[in-house]
Amino acid sequence: MGVALRKLTQWTAAGHGTGILEITPLNEAILKEIIVFVESFIYKHPQEAKFVFVEPLEWNTSLAPSAFESGYVVSETTVKSEEVDKNGQPLLFLSVPQIKIRSFGQLSRLLLIAKTGKLKEAQACVEANRDPIVKILGSDYNTMKENSIALNILGKITRDDDPESEIKMKIAMLLKQLDLHLLNHSLKHISLEISLSPMTVKKDIELLKRFSGKGNQTVLESIEYTSDYEFSNGCRAPPWRQIRGEICYVLVKPHDGETLCITCSAGGVFLNGGKTDDEGDVNYERKGSIYKNLVTFLREKSPKFSENMSKLGISFSEDQQKEKDQLGKAPKKEEAAALRKDISGSDKRSLEKNQINFWRNQMTKRWEPSLNWKTTVNYKGKGSAKEIQEDKHTGKLEKPRPSVSHGRAQLLRKSAEKIEETVSDSSSESEEDEEPPDHRQEASADLPSEYWQIQKLVKYLKGGNQTATVIALCSMRDFSLAQETCQLAIRDVGGLEVLINLLETDEVKCKIGSLKILKEISHNPQIRQNIVDLGGLPIMVNILDSPHKSLKCLAAETIANVAKFKRARRVVRQHGGITKLVALLDCAHDSTKPAQSSLYEARDVEVARCGALALWSCSKSHTNKEAIRKAGGIPLLARLLKTSHENMLIPVVGTLQECASEENYRAAIKAERIIENLVKNLNSENEQLQEHCAMAIYQCAEDKETRDLVRLHGGLKPLASLLNNTDNKERLAAVTGAIWKCSISKENVTKFREYKAIETLVGLLTDQPEEVLVNVVGALGECCQERENRVIVRKCGGIQPLVNLLVGINQALLVNVTKAVGACAVEPESMMWGLTLSSRLKYSGMMRGHCSLKLLGSSDPPNFVFFRSRKLRNRIIDRLDGVRLLWSLLKNPHPDVKASAAWALCPCIKNAKDAGEMVRSFVGGLELIVNLLKSDNKEVLASVCAAITNIAKDQENLAVITDHGVVPLLSKLANTNNNKLRHHLAEAISRCCMWGRNRVAFGEHKAVAPLVRYLKSNDTNVHRATAQALYQLSEDADNCITMHENGAVKATQREDDEDEDLYDDPLPLNLLLDMVGSPDQDLQEAAAGCISNIRRLALATEKARYT
């Protein structure tokens, strides 16, 4: 954070010591990111939020003591927090106007209290505390260089004797991450700004000079440079000011004001301090806001300039339009040629485009469109590239300039073309998938009479007065606007343009009538696209500020219908729609008391419902979710969730369900106690509400605390009862998903067993869609981690349906099925009933009414087993398929499926009789599993090592995998820091040592030394496996020498050798000695045997030295 504040923030010319932050877009962006970091700190890092700063952060606040409520001791002029440090000092102290804060927790709460004043408080804090890291963590951090990395911070803190060093380390790392984030965010912000060039400024000034002079027909009285000298780079500013990006200074005399001294810089145009009276020098300090260009600045400062520009706007824009047409002519021809080449049926679509343009031209002739109309007609074409790029980076878009110079227009066009090309290649979403192709009614088709009647009404809308317009709107609503024919009739005759134009009138009745029609017809995907193309969404967003509640409701509902695809959601956000929609949620003050609500309060509830409905549609975008959170939507949604209005609850829960996929939202949902209300609404009679509540729980239950809250509030029983209704598949998928995630906690599994949910889940393993099966099998996989539940699944006949699902192609389903099958295979009874047979079976003959099967792989004479039941015979053949299907999944390209299948094979091999013969029966199976040791995925490697440990229990299989090169492949994995992989790798090495000269081979492939270092791990499973592996390896003398060289033997010589240099690593022996006292007999023998072999080598070496 220190580097970002020093390097990127822009301060006034008063200097670093006394200056203040300038009001620039970059400074504002940095402050907003700092606010987001501090606001979420108390949720993301609750332990660190309690850390007391070394020195308090002090500044003058604009907050009054009355703004503080619970948790604070408030008087007329002072405020003290009830939260204190170990010395009893309050962590927040306000003595108007100065405030002192000493923890991140209090900083977060202060921003919540400040509400709309967050930015002002953050600015004051940064200005008063130039080096906040020193005040937070201490003066030692003042010596840290800008290029210091995380390891420097870690080294500094670990050498400190402070008992809070660990928390300091975490905070230092978090602040370092924030610093990097601010730097990256600022670079993106800067890269998106289009800088002014000297040539651009010069052309703008020359263009304004052409329209300057005396008289009412000019835009300015005069405009001139302060300096006549022009440098070779085109700048007129002194060199020491050019370093700051300044280009020139101009004196402008408008018709209606005093002379203005203006600075033109690469970052924009602003008013400076003017010329001094004595020497005539320019006072360079900025005195106002920064504007995009000179014309925008003058429009803001001089109403007369703006008025005359509008009068001369025709000729002014004609000159620029000719330039644009000449520049854009060739690209348009190329695009047209590409369309003709690539798109089939282009002649027909070209004809349809001409029809659209015909109706637009007719509308232009009959009506005189406003300036807004001109902008919205070209809305998609002019701004699409810029909007997409802004959406990718910051989600913030500046409005298009009213006029730009030729050079600037060319720069904008080139950059936009590059951006559009890049985005079209990299975008993961395709708008063509979301926006259906436009199609029109064929002229020769037999159309119903309603089609022609609606077209007549549209004509009245175009040419009638106010009364005729209202009557036409009412008559149009009498038609069945839900029918596609009526919807397309309005569009085909140009009715959409008229309806959108009516939204800009001052007549409330016309607006209401137009919105009611647009709300109905916007259910059509093609109409939605047309509304966005015609610029209807920005107008609807502006209506959200209307004092008329009916207009607010209709506009929000129409936005909810239109914002079903990506481009529409982006337009809503870029025009400030998210903030306005969140504000609508604050209308329902008494929504929790519907019985006593008046008509006025009922309208408030309806406004909030429509706002939630629109936010639900908009929340399918990641950027919009973040915008909703920043606008303060979570507390308002939590309050609305307490209402008993079901029509209100559905969009509220729907919005929460969409947003709960984000980690920030899940933390806030816990903080706002939303889980309790979600559980409560599971008992509702409304199936849609139940579905969304279950889905929200599914999204939130990734966190253990949330799973516990669901259980404590009694949410498990209604979830189990909802399993019995299987007609509504969408609700069933949501309920099974919630059960799956809740089953991760063992306490919840016990409850589900009491509610008989496991038996119900087994019954859902057949005849269900994949989205249900994924969740059902996932839940069973979690439940089957306990023996009682495995017995229930087996007795209910759940093994066979699980095995049948192994033939699917859905990756998520395969991962869950293999986990469930592996859990069931832990029980030997399940192996007999559903997964394998103890011997390889082969048909030796078939007789009527029975079958004989020959048992292979035995040294005894062939035995024959006769089954009189064909049904039993088929069941046994199916049992063979379980392990075979699991083995075949090792070829799946998805690493999660491979790993899950390998884990499932471990108990199958372990609990199968004659497992060795069974494994060899799969052609190429052993070679396949050995080759998986070449994978880069740690989970795949750990699972394969575990499978090899079980396979290698059979000597013949061990010999085969040795021939396939298992020893060098295992040795290559020895230098790993992953404890899970270490555990299973050591077990695999231990098993593989039991064949031939594998012990020697492991030593030759440098696997011994890394294994010795495994004893330093904190994982007891790693210790146990390593001791067994070292015991096996220590049977070879060369391996014992390697252990000696790596510290294992040095530790054993403490009593016999006085050279302390040999005892620098006593840890291996200590751990081995501890393992000798383990209650595990195998571990005792392995540790003791390893120590014995190492000791014998040490004594032999010592004897050889003195002999």
Side-chain angles (χ1 to χ4, degrees), residues 1020-1040:
T1020 55
N1021 291 325
V1022 174
H1023 295 164
R1024 185 180 300 108
T1026 303
Q1028 294 170 345
L1030 291 176
Y1031 169 62
Q1032 294 295 333
L1033 290 168
S1034 65
E1035 296 290 336
D1036 178 68
D1038 290 335
N1039 291 341
C1040 284

mmCIF file with all atom_site columns, all heavy atoms in Angstrom, residues 1020-1040:
data_model
loop_
_atom_site.group_PDB
_atom_site.id
_atom_site.type_symbol
_atom_site.label_atom_id
_atom_site.label_alt_id
_atom_site.label_comp_id
_atom_site.label_asym_id
_atom_site.label_entity_id
_atom_site.label_seq_id
_atom_site.pdbx_PDB_ins_code
_atom_site.Cartn_x
_atom_site.Cartn_y
_atom_site.Cartn_z
_atom_site.occupancy
_atom_site.B_iso_or_equiv
_atom_site.pdbx_formal_charge
_atom_site.auth_seq_id
_atom_site.auth_comp_id
_atom_site.auth_asym_id
_atom_site.auth_atom_id
_atom_site.pdbx_PDB_model_num
ATOM 1   N N   . THR A 1 1020 ? 1.926  -37.397 10.969 1.00 0.00 ? 1020 THR A N   1
ATOM 2   C CA  . THR A 1 1020 ? 2.245  -38.715 11.548 1.00 0.00 ? 1020 THR A CA  1
ATOM 3   C C   . THR A 1 1020 ? 2.112  -39.828 10.525 1.00 0.00 ? 1020 THR A C   1
ATOM 4   O O   . THR A 1 1020 ? 2.822  -40.842 10.607 1.00 0.00 ? 1020 THR A O   1
ATOM 5   C CB  . THR A 1 1020 ? 1.314  -38.996 12.744 1.00 0.00 ? 1020 THR A CB  1
ATOM 6   O OG1 . THR A 1 1020 ? -0.048 -38.866 12.313 1.00 0.00 ? 1020 THR A OG1 1
ATOM 7   C CG2 . THR A 1 1020 ? 1.572  -37.996 13.865 1.00 0.00 ? 1020 THR A CG2 1
ATOM 8   N N   . ASN A 1 1021 ? 1.193  -39.687 9.569  1.00 0.00 ? 1021 ASN A N   1
ATOM 9   C CA  . ASN A 1 1021 ? 1.066  -40.710 8.531  1.00 0.00 ? 1021 ASN A CA  1
ATOM 10  C C   . ASN A 1 1021 ? 2.336  -40.802 7.692  1.00 0.00 ? 1021 ASN A C   1
ATOM 11  O O   . ASN A 1 1021 ? 2.746  -41.890 7.264  1.00 0.00 ? 1021 ASN A O   1
ATOM 12  C CB  . ASN A 1 1021 ? -0.132 -40.397 7.628  1.00 0.00 ? 1021 ASN A CB  1
ATOM 13  C CG  . ASN A 1 1021 ? -1.449 -40.565 8.346  1.00 0.00 ? 1021 ASN A CG  1
ATOM 14  O OD1 . ASN A 1 1021 ? -1.596 -41.443 9.196  1.00 0.00 ? 1021 ASN A OD1 1
ATOM 15  N ND2 . ASN A 1 1021 ? -2.417 -39.711 8.039  1.00 0.00 ? 1021 ASN A ND2 1
ATOM 16  N N   . VAL A 1 1022 ? 2.948  -39.657 7.436  1.00 0.00 ? 1022 VAL A N   1
ATOM 17  C CA  . VAL A 1 1022 ? 4.208  -39.647 6.688  1.00 0.00 ? 1022 VAL A CA  1
ATOM 18  C C   . VAL A 1 1022 ? 5.297  -40.343 7.496  1.00 0.00 ? 1022 VAL A C   1
ATOM 19  O O   . VAL A 1 1022 ? 6.103  -41.112 6.953  1.00 0.00 ? 1022 VAL A O   1
ATOM 20  C CB  . VAL A 1 1022 ? 4.610  -38.196 6.341  1.00 0.00 ? 1022 VAL A CB  1
ATOM 21  C CG1 . VAL A 1 1022 ? 5.987  -38.164 5.682  1.00 0.00 ? 1022 VAL A CG1 1
ATOM 22  C CG2 . VAL A 1 1022 ? 3.578  -37.557 5.435  1.00 0.00 ? 1022 VAL A CG2 1
ATOM 23  N N   . HIS A 1 1023 ? 5.331  -40.087 8.808  1.00 0.00 ? 1023 HIS A N   1
ATOM 24  C CA  . HIS A 1 1023 ? 6.328  -40.748 9.667  1.00 0.00 ? 1023 HIS A CA  1
ATOM 25  C C   . HIS A 1 1023 ? 6.190  -42.260 9.600  1.00 0.00 ? 1023 HIS A C   1
ATOM 26  O O   . HIS A 1 1023 ? 7.178  -42.986 9.436  1.00 0.00 ? 1023 HIS A O   1
ATOM 27  C CB  . HIS A 1 1023 ? 6.153  -40.299 11.123 1.00 0.00 ? 1023 HIS A CB  1
ATOM 28  C CG  . HIS A 1 1023 ? 6.423  -38.842 11.327 1.00 0.00 ? 1023 HIS A CG  1
ATOM 29  N ND1 . HIS A 1 1023 ? 6.023  -38.169 12.454 1.00 0.00 ? 1023 HIS A ND1 1
ATOM 30  C CD2 . HIS A 1 1023 ? 7.042  -37.925 10.548 1.00 0.00 ? 1023 HIS A CD2 1
ATOM 31  C CE1 . HIS A 1 1023 ? 6.392  -36.903 12.360 1.00 0.00 ? 1023 HIS A CE1 1
ATOM 32  N NE2 . HIS A 1 1023 ? 6.996  -36.731 11.209 1.00 0.00 ? 1023 HIS A NE2 1
ATOM 33  N N   . ARG A 1 1024 ? 4.965  -42.748 9.742  1.00 0.00 ? 1024 ARG A N   1
ATOM 34  C CA  . ARG A 1 1024 ? 4.729  -44.188 9.754  1.00 0.00 ? 1024 ARG A CA  1
ATOM 35  C C   . ARG A 1 1024 ? 5.167  -44.838 8.441  1.00 0.00 ? 1024 ARG A C   1
ATOM 36  O O   . ARG A 1 1024 ? 5.873  -45.842 8.428  1.00 0.00 ? 1024 ARG A O   1
ATOM 37  C CB  . ARG A 1 1024 ? 3.248  -44.455 10.017 1.00 0.00 ? 1024 ARG A CB  1
ATOM 38  C CG  . ARG A 1 1024 ? 2.904  -45.937 10.174 1.00 0.00 ? 1024 ARG A CG  1
ATOM 39  C CD  . ARG A 1 1024 ? 1.420  -46.140 10.422 1.00 0.00 ? 1024 ARG A CD  1
ATOM 40  N NE  . ARG A 1 1024 ? 0.976  -45.471 11.641 1.00 0.00 ? 1024 ARG A NE  1
ATOM 41  C CZ  . ARG A 1 1024 ? 0.222  -44.383 11.663 1.00 0.00 ? 1024 ARG A CZ  1
ATOM 42  N NH1 . ARG A 1 1024 ? -0.183 -43.831 10.532 1.00 0.00 ? 1024 ARG A NH1 1
ATOM 43  N NH2 . ARG A 1 1024 ? -0.128 -43.834 12.808 1.00 0.00 ? 1024 ARG A NH2 1
ATOM 44  N N   . ALA A 1 1025 ? 4.755  -44.239 7.324  1.00 0.00 ? 1025 ALA A N   1
ATOM 45  C CA  . ALA A 1 1025 ? 5.096  -44.812 6.016  1.00 0.00 ? 1025 ALA A CA  1
ATOM 46  C C   . ALA A 1 1025 ? 6.591  -44.714 5.761  1.00 0.00 ? 1025 ALA A C   1
ATOM 47  O O   . ALA A 1 1025 ? 7.203  -45.646 5.193  1.00 0.00 ? 1025 ALA A O   1
ATOM 48  C CB  . ALA A 1 1025 ? 4.314  -44.086 4.921  1.00 0.00 ? 1025 ALA A CB  1
ATOM 49  N N   . THR A 1 1026 ? 7.213  -43.611 6.171  1.00 0.00 ? 1026 THR A N   1
ATOM 50  C CA  . THR A 1 1026 ? 8.649  -43.433 5.930  1.00 0.00 ? 1026 THR A CA  1
ATOM 51  C C   . THR A 1 1026 ? 9.464  -44.430 6.732  1.00 0.00 ? 1026 THR A C   1
ATOM 52  O O   . THR A 1 1026 ? 10.464 -44.978 6.239  1.00 0.00 ? 1026 THR A O   1
ATOM 53  C CB  . THR A 1 1026 ? 9.056  -41.989 6.287  1.00 0.00 ? 1026 THR A CB  1
ATOM 54  O OG1 . THR A 1 1026 ? 8.264  -41.067 5.534  1.00 0.00 ? 1026 THR A OG1 1
ATOM 55  C CG2 . THR A 1 1026 ? 10.520 -41.746 5.967  1.00 0.00 ? 1026 THR A CG2 1
ATOM 56  N N   . ALA A 1 1027 ? 9.067  -44.682 7.972  1.00 0.00 ? 1027 ALA A N   1
ATOM 57  C CA  . ALA A 1 1027 ? 9.788  -45.659 8.799  1.00 0.00 ? 1027 ALA A CA  1
ATOM 58  C C   . ALA A 1 1027 ? 9.756  -47.043 8.158  1.00 0.00 ? 1027 ALA A C   1
ATOM 59  O O   . ALA A 1 1027 ? 10.775 -47.758 8.115  1.00 0.00 ? 1027 ALA A O   1
ATOM 60  C CB  . ALA A 1 1027 ? 9.177  -45.706 10.191 1.00 0.00 ? 1027 ALA A CB  1
ATOM 61  N N   . GLN A 1 1028 ? 8.605  -47.425 7.619  1.00 0.00 ? 1028 GLN A N   1
ATOM 62  C CA  . GLN A 1 1028 ? 8.516  -48.725 6.953  1.00 0.00 ? 1028 GLN A CA  1
ATOM 63  C C   . GLN A 1 1028 ? 9.376  -48.767 5.696  1.00 0.00 ? 1028 GLN A C   1
ATOM 64  O O   . GLN A 1 1028 ? 10.038 -49.769 5.403  1.00 0.00 ? 1028 GLN A O   1
ATOM 65  C CB  . GLN A 1 1028 ? 7.055  -49.018 6.617  1.00 0.00 ? 1028 GLN A CB  1
ATOM 66  C CG  . GLN A 1 1028 ? 6.174  -49.215 7.855  1.00 0.00 ? 1028 GLN A CG  1
ATOM 67  C CD  . GLN A 1 1028 ? 4.697  -49.273 7.530  1.00 0.00 ? 1028 GLN A CD  1
ATOM 68  O OE1 . GLN A 1 1028 ? 4.293  -48.894 6.435  1.00 0.00 ? 1028 GLN A OE1 1
ATOM 69  N NE2 . GLN A 1 1028 ? 3.899  -49.713 8.490  1.00 0.00 ? 1028 GLN A NE2 1
ATOM 70  N N   . ALA A 1 1029 ? 9.379  -47.651 4.945  1.00 0.00 ? 1029 ALA A N   1
ATOM 71  C CA  . ALA A 1 1029 ? 10.184 -47.609 3.725  1.00 0.00 ? 1029 ALA A CA  1
ATOM 72  C C   . ALA A 1 1029 ? 11.675 -47.645 4.053  1.00 0.00 ? 1029 ALA A C   1
ATOM 73  O O   . ALA A 1 1029 ? 12.457 -48.368 3.403  1.00 0.00 ? 1029 ALA A O   1
ATOM 74  C CB  . ALA A 1 1029 ? 9.844  -46.359 2.914  1.00 0.00 ? 1029 ALA A CB  1
ATOM 75  N N   . LEU A 1 1030 ? 12.097 -46.876 5.061  1.00 0.00 ? 1030 LEU A N   1
ATOM 76  C CA  . LEU A 1 1030 ? 13.515 -46.865 5.435  1.00 0.00 ? 1030 LEU A CA  1
ATOM 77  C C   . LEU A 1 1030 ? 13.962 -48.228 5.972  1.00 0.00 ? 1030 LEU A C   1
ATOM 78  O O   . LEU A 1 1030 ? 15.109 -48.645 5.751  1.00 0.00 ? 1030 LEU A O   1
ATOM 79  C CB  . LEU A 1 1030 ? 13.770 -45.774 6.476  1.00 0.00 ? 1030 LEU A CB  1
ATOM 80  C CG  . LEU A 1 1030 ? 13.657 -44.321 5.979  1.00 0.00 ? 1030 LEU A CG  1
ATOM 81  C CD1 . LEU A 1 1030 ? 13.830 -43.350 7.131  1.00 0.00 ? 1030 LEU A CD1 1
ATOM 82  C CD2 . LEU A 1 1030 ? 14.684 -44.042 4.890  1.00 0.00 ? 1030 LEU A CD2 1
ATOM 83  N N   . TYR A 1 1031 ? 13.056 -48.895 6.675  1.00 0.00 ? 1031 TYR A N   1
ATOM 84  C CA  . TYR A 1 1031 ? 13.400 -50.249 7.163  1.00 0.00 ? 1031 TYR A CA  1
ATOM 85  C C   . TYR A 1 1031 ? 13.695 -51.185 5.998  1.00 0.00 ? 1031 TYR A C   1
ATOM 86  O O   . TYR A 1 1031 ? 14.684 -51.931 6.002  1.00 0.00 ? 1031 TYR A O   1
ATOM 87  C CB  . TYR A 1 1031 ? 12.266 -50.786 8.022  1.00 0.00 ? 1031 TYR A CB  1
ATOM 88  C CG  . TYR A 1 1031 ? 12.405 -52.258 8.343  1.00 0.00 ? 1031 TYR A CG  1
ATOM 89  C CD1 . TYR A 1 1031 ? 13.496 -52.741 9.085  1.00 0.00 ? 1031 TYR A CD1 1
ATOM 90  C CD2 . TYR A 1 1031 ? 11.462 -53.177 7.896  1.00 0.00 ? 1031 TYR A CD2 1
ATOM 91  C CE1 . TYR A 1 1031 ? 13.624 -54.086 9.372  1.00 0.00 ? 1031 TYR A CE1 1
ATOM 92  C CE2 . TYR A 1 1031 ? 11.583 -54.525 8.171  1.00 0.00 ? 1031 TYR A CE2 1
ATOM 93  C CZ  . TYR A 1 1031 ? 12.675 -54.986 8.908  1.00 0.00 ? 1031 TYR A CZ  1
ATOM 94  O OH  . TYR A 1 1031 ? 12.809 -56.309 9.179  1.00 0.00 ? 1031 TYR A OH  1
ATOM 95  N N   . GLN A 1 1032 ? 12.855 -51.163 4.995  1.00 0.00 ? 1032 GLN A N   1
ATOM 96  C CA  . GLN A 1 1032 ? 13.071 -52.018 3.828  1.00 0.00 ? 1032 GLN A CA  1
ATOM 97  C C   . GLN A 1 1032 ? 14.334 -51.599 3.076  1.00 0.00 ? 1032 GLN A C   1
ATOM 98  O O   . GLN A 1 1032 ? 15.125 -52.454 2.657  1.00 0.00 ? 1032 GLN A O   1
ATOM 99  C CB  . GLN A 1 1032 ? 11.859 -51.946 2.896  1.00 0.00 ? 1032 GLN A CB  1
ATOM 100 C CG  . GLN A 1 1032 ? 10.583 -52.534 3.470  1.00 0.00 ? 1032 GLN A CG  1
ATOM 101 C CD  . GLN A 1 1032 ? 10.690 -54.035 3.705  1.00 0.00 ? 1032 GLN A CD  1
ATOM 102 O OE1 . GLN A 1 1032 ? 11.457 -54.742 3.033  1.00 0.00 ? 1032 GLN A OE1 1
ATOM 103 N NE2 . GLN A 1 1032 ? 9.940  -54.520 4.686  1.00 0.00 ? 1032 GLN A NE2 1
ATOM 104 N N   . LEU A 1 1033 ? 14.533 -50.312 2.912  1.00 0.00 ? 1033 LEU A N   1
ATOM 105 C CA  . LEU A 1 1033 ? 15.704 -49.844 2.168  1.00 0.00 ? 1033 LEU A CA  1
ATOM 106 C C   . LEU A 1 1033 ? 17.001 -50.095 2.937  1.00 0.00 ? 1033 LEU A C   1
ATOM 107 O O   . LEU A 1 1033 ? 18.064 -50.301 2.330  1.00 0.00 ? 1033 LEU A O   1
ATOM 108 C CB  . LEU A 1 1033 ? 15.565 -48.344 1.875  1.00 0.00 ? 1033 LEU A CB  1
ATOM 109 C CG  . LEU A 1 1033 ? 14.485 -47.950 0.854  1.00 0.00 ? 1033 LEU A CG  1
ATOM 110 C CD1 . LEU A 1 1033 ? 14.250 -46.452 0.871  1.00 0.00 ? 1033 LEU A CD1 1
ATOM 111 C CD2 . LEU A 1 1033 ? 14.859 -48.405 -0.548 1.00 0.00 ? 1033 LEU A CD2 1
ATOM 112 N N   . SER A 1 1034 ? 16.937 -50.082 4.273  1.00 0.00 ? 1034 SER A N   1
ATOM 113 C CA  . SER A 1 1034 ? 18.155 -50.254 5.073  1.00 0.00 ? 1034 SER A CA  1
ATOM 114 C C   . SER A 1 1034 ? 18.694 -51.677 5.029  1.00 0.00 ? 1034 SER A C   1
ATOM 115 O O   . SER A 1 1034 ? 19.771 -51.937 5.579  1.00 0.00 ? 1034 SER A O   1
ATOM 116 C CB  . SER A 1 1034 ? 17.885 -49.836 6.527  1.00 0.00 ? 1034 SER A CB  1
ATOM 117 O OG  . SER A 1 1034 ? 16.921 -50.705 7.119  1.00 0.00 ? 1034 SER A OG  1
ATOM 118 N N   . GLU A 1 1035 ? 17.970 -52.576 4.392  1.00 0.00 ? 1035 GLU A N   1
ATOM 119 C CA  . GLU A 1 1035 ? 18.496 -53.939 4.204  1.00 0.00 ? 1035 GLU A CA  1
ATOM 120 C C   . GLU A 1 1035 ? 19.676 -53.938 3.238  1.00 0.00 ? 1035 GLU A C   1
ATOM 121 O O   . GLU A 1 1035 ? 20.433 -54.908 3.177  1.00 0.00 ? 1035 GLU A O   1
ATOM 122 C CB  . GLU A 1 1035 ? 17.393 -54.858 3.683  1.00 0.00 ? 1035 GLU A CB  1
ATOM 123 C CG  . GLU A 1 1035 ? 16.225 -55.068 4.633  1.00 0.00 ? 1035 GLU A CG  1
ATOM 124 C CD  . GLU A 1 1035 ? 16.609 -55.893 5.850  1.00 0.00 ? 1035 GLU A CD  1
ATOM 125 O OE1 . GLU A 1 1035 ? 17.576 -56.665 5.762  1.00 0.00 ? 1035 GLU A OE1 1
ATOM 126 O OE2 . GLU A 1 1035 ? 15.950 -55.761 6.898  1.00 0.00 ? 1035 GLU A OE2 1
ATOM 127 N N   . ASP A 1 1036 ? 19.818 -52.861 2.469  1.00 0.00 ? 1036 ASP A N   1
ATOM 128 C CA  . ASP A 1 1036 ? 20.943 -52.743 1.539  1.00 0.00 ? 1036 ASP A CA  1
ATOM 129 C C   . ASP A 1 1036 ? 21.996 -51.825 2.149  1.00 0.00 ? 1036 ASP A C   1
ATOM 130 O O   . ASP A 1 1036 ? 21.685 -50.738 2.651  1.00 0.00 ? 1036 ASP A O   1
ATOM 131 C CB  . ASP A 1 1036 ? 20.448 -52.169 0.205  1.00 0.00 ? 1036 ASP A CB  1
ATOM 132 C CG  . ASP A 1 1036 ? 21.590 -51.987 -0.784 1.00 0.00 ? 1036 ASP A CG  1
ATOM 133 O OD1 . ASP A 1 1036 ? 22.159 -52.986 -1.244 1.00 0.00 ? 1036 ASP A OD1 1
ATOM 134 O OD2 . ASP A 1 1036 ? 21.904 -50.800 -1.088 1.00 0.00 ? 1036 ASP A OD2 1
ATOM 135 N N   . ALA A 1 1037 ? 23.251 -52.259 2.106  1.00 0.00 ? 1037 ALA A N   1
ATOM 136 C CA  . ALA A 1 1037 ? 24.332 -51.520 2.764  1.00 0.00 ? 1037 ALA A CA  1
ATOM 137 C C   . ALA A 1 1037 ? 24.528 -50.141 2.142  1.00 0.00 ? 1037 ALA A C   1
ATOM 138 O O   . ALA A 1 1037 ? 24.765 -49.154 2.846  1.00 0.00 ? 1037 ALA A O   1
ATOM 139 C CB  . ALA A 1 1037 ? 25.631 -52.328 2.693  1.00 0.00 ? 1037 ALA A CB  1
ATOM 140 N N   . ASP A 1 1038 ? 24.453 -50.062 0.815  1.00 0.00 ? 1038 ASP A N   1
ATOM 141 C CA  . ASP A 1 1038 ? 24.644 -48.760 0.164  1.00 0.00 ? 1038 ASP A CA  1
ATOM 142 C C   . ASP A 1 1038 ? 23.577 -47.763 0.599  1.00 0.00 ? 1038 ASP A C   1
ATOM 143 O O   . ASP A 1 1038 ? 23.859 -46.563 0.739  1.00 0.00 ? 1038 ASP A O   1
ATOM 144 C CB  . ASP A 1 1038 ? 24.606 -48.937 -1.366 1.00 0.00 ? 1038 ASP A CB  1
ATOM 145 C CG  . ASP A 1 1038 ? 25.828 -49.679 -1.880 1.00 0.00 ? 1038 ASP A CG  1
ATOM 146 O OD1 . ASP A 1 1038 ? 26.870 -49.627 -1.200 1.00 0.00 ? 1038 ASP A OD1 1
ATOM 147 O OD2 . ASP A 1 1038 ? 25.743 -50.305 -2.946 1.00 0.00 ? 1038 ASP A OD2 1
ATOM 148 N N   . ASN A 1 1039 ? 22.390 -48.247 0.782  1.00 0.00 ? 1039 ASN A N   1
ATOM 149 C CA  . ASN A 1 1039 ? 21.332 -47.361 1.249  1.00 0.00 ? 1039 ASN A CA  1
ATOM 150 C C   . ASN A 1 1039 ? 21.606 -46.871 2.673  1.00 0.00 ? 1039 ASN A C   1
ATOM 151 O O   . ASN A 1 1039 ? 21.302 -45.725 3.023  1.00 0.00 ? 1039 ASN A O   1
ATOM 152 C CB  . ASN A 1 1039 ? 19.980 -48.063 1.196  1.00 0.00 ? 1039 ASN A CB  1
ATOM 153 C CG  . ASN A 1 1039 ? 19.514 -48.302 -0.224 1.00 0.00 ? 1039 ASN A CG  1
ATOM 154 O OD1 . ASN A 1 1039 ? 19.999 -47.653 -1.152 1.00 0.00 ? 1039 ASN A OD1 1
ATOM 155 N ND2 . ASN A 1 1039 ? 18.594 -49.231 -0.403 1.00 0.00 ? 1039 ASN A ND2 1
ATOM 156 N N   . CYS A 1 1040 ? 22.167 -47.752 3.513  1.00 0.00 ? 1040 CYS A N   1
ATOM 157 C CA  . CYS A 1 1040 ? 22.521 -47.334 4.872  1.00 0.00 ? 1040 CYS A CA  1
ATOM 158 C C   . CYS A 1 1040 ? 23.592 -46.240 4.845  1.00 0.00 ? 1040 CYS A C   1
ATOM 159 O O   . CYS A 1 1040 ? 23.553 -45.290 5.637  1.00 0.00 ? 1040 CYS A O   1
ATOM 160 C CB  . CYS A 1 1040 ? 23.034 -48.532 5.668  1.00 0.00 ? 1040 CYS A CB  1
ATOM 161 S SG  . CYS A 1 1040 ? 21.710 -49.626 6.204  1.00 0.00 ? 1040 CYS A SG  1
#
